[in-house]
């Protein structure tokens, strides 16, 4: 069960991300922005940040994340590069022929925001150079200790639709006609805001993934323990039956031998 500190930290993270997305929505109202973060690149290649674990014994946790890529027709070894966080995902996808662009497996042991910043910086740098045209994030959302949801999230290019302010009764007629002035310009603002947004999403995904991994491993070990107990009970029953049969046979032979002597 989540503690008060965990809930408070999660609330602050969501609030921070919400402020960033609100700022991005305001920027998106400034007309047609030609920034690559919004329009993308001509490249057909895709990049996927894949978060799995460094260890096994977690049931289908790692396999479910890998399936997000291997079962999706948009991704193939020819048009997709992988940024892996977790050795299990790196080994599986690498074995299937996917290019492992970078591996940050150590980050999953104890996620820090600095790790998310490094990953975000590397991925965005390659994106800005036009090495690929889309960025996705594959990880596991932690709902509770029993439910963990494999999730594929598109990070870039972004498609933000501004709400129609005319339908907002709280906005006056004067405000509707007033043009908004931005400083810095929209393109420059996006260049500052989007990396923070990406870093926040990556860090949130790392935290969710760690919680999901621990929950999945706890479930797997609990199932294994129950299975072991069932097997022990079955083997004990078989042993007792075999032992009882052996004793009965010995008694029968003794009685038969005694009767023959008489």
């Amino acid at each position: 069960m989540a503690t008060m500190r965990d809930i408070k930290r999660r609330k602050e993270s969501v609030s921070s991300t919400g402020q960033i997305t609100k700022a991005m929505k305001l920027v998106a109202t400034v007309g047609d922005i030609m920034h690559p973060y919004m329009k993308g690149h001509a490249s057909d290649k895709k990049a996927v940040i894949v978060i799995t674990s460094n260890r096994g014994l977690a049931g289908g946790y790692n396999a479910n994340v890998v399936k997000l890529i291997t079962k999706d027709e948009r991704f193939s070894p020819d048009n997709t590069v992988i940024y892996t966080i977790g050795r299990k995902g790196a080994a599986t996808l690498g074995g299937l022929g996917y290019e492992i662009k970078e591996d940050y497996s150590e980050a999953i042991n104890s996620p820090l925001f600095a790790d998310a910043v490094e990953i975000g910086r590397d991925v965005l740098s390659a994106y800005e150079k036009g090495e690929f045209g889309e960025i996705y994030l594959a990880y596991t959302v932690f709902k509770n200790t029993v439910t963990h949801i494999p999730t594929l999230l598109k990070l870039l290019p972004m498609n933000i639709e501004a709400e129609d302010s005319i339908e907002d009764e709280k906005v006056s007629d004067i405000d509707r006609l007033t043009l908004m002035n931005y400083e810095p310009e929209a393109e420059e603002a996006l260049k500052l805001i989007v990396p923070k947004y990406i870093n926040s999403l990556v860090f949130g995904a790392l935290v969710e993934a760690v919680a999901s991994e621990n929950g999945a491993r706890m479930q797997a070990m609990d199932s294994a323990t129950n299975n072991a107990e069932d097997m022990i009970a079955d083997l004990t029953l078989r042993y007792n039956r075999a032992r009882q049969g052996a004793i009965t046979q010995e008694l029968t032979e003794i009685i038969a031998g005694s009767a023959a002597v008489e």
Side-chain angles (χ1 to χ4, degrees):
M1 180 179 294
T3 64
M4 293 178 63
R5 178 182 298 178
D6 294 332
I7 296 172
K8 183 178 179 182
R9 185 180 302 165
R10 178 64 174 162
K11 182 180 177 182
E12 291 174 351
S13 175
V14 172
S15 176
S16 176
T17 303
Q19 292 175 359
I20 295 173
T21 54
K22 183 177 180 181
M24 287 163 47
K25 176 188 279 189
L26 291 174
V27 172
T29 63
V30 188
D32 191 16
I33 301 176
M34 299 305 295
H35 197 284
Y37 290 159
M38 306 295 289
K39 300 299 182 182
H41 293 288
S43 175
D44 293 331
K45 273 208 165 187
K46 301 170 179 61
V48 187
I49 303 171
V50 181
I51 304 179
T52 57
S53 69
N54 286 333
R55 299 177 295 163
L57 301 178
Y61 169 77
N62 294 305
N64 291 334
V65 176
V66 170
K67 286 179 183 178
L68 293 174
I69 294 92
T70 58
K71 300 298 183 181
D72 195 315
E73 295 180 353
R74 293 173 294 178
F75 308 114
S76 71
D78 296 329
N79 71 354
T80 305
V81 296
I82 306 295
Y83 289 82
T84 55
I85 307 171
R87 286 190 286 271
K88 292 298 181 179
T92 303
L93 291 170
L96 293 173
Y98 288 86
E99 177 188 351
I100 307 300
K101 183 76 172 178
E102 295 289 346
D103 183 20
Y104 308 92
S105 293
E106 294 303 319
I108 200 63
N109 293 330
S110 181
L112 300 173
F113 188 72
D115 298 324
V117 171
E118 179 186 355
I119 296 167
R121 181 179 62 246
D122 293 346
V123 176
L124 286 177
S125 176
Y127 177 82
E128 291 170 356
K129 293 176 183 176
E131 295 183 15
F132 37 79
E134 296 178 356
I135 303 175
Y136 294 83
L137 177 62
Y139 68 108
T140 305
V141 173
F142 178 83
K143 186 174 182 180
N144 52 53
T145 54
V146 178
T147 306
H148 320 111
I149 307 170
T151 303
L152 182 66
L153 177 65
K154 185 176 182 179
L155 301 181
L156 291 179
M158 308 185 69
N159 182 20
I160 302 176
E161 297 180 358
E163 293 180 355
D164 189 356
S165 61
I166 295 178
E167 296 180 357
D168 190 346
E169 298 179 356
K170 297 181 180 180
V171 179
S172 67
D173 293 336
I174 296 177
D175 290 335
R176 294 192 188 108
L177 298 175
T178 303
L179 295 177
M180 298 183 67
N181 295 322
Y182 290 89
E183 187 176 340
E185 294 297 326
E187 287 77 6
E188 189 176 350
L190 280 174
K191 191 172 183 179
L192 294 172
I193 295 172
V194 171
K196 296 181 182 295
Y197 172 68
I198 298 298
N199 296 341
S200 297
L201 288 179
V202 172
F203 179 65
L206 287 171
V207 174
E208 296 259 12
V210 170
S212 298
E213 178 191 346
N214 290 332
R217 183 168 290 108
M218 182 180 69
Q219 275 188 283
M221 293 302 98
D222 184 60
S223 297
T225 301
N226 292 335
N227 290 338
E229 291 175 351
D230 291 341
M231 290 179 65
I232 290 172
D234 181 62
L235 291 172
T236 300
L237 179 61
R238 292 185 183 184
Y239 174 80
N240 289 337
R241 285 178 177 175
R243 182 169 176 270
Q244 184 177 8
I247 293 173
T248 301
Q249 183 176 357
E250 289 179 4
L251 289 174
T252 301
E253 292 175 353
I254 292 172
I255 294 173
S258 176
V261 171
E262 294 177 356

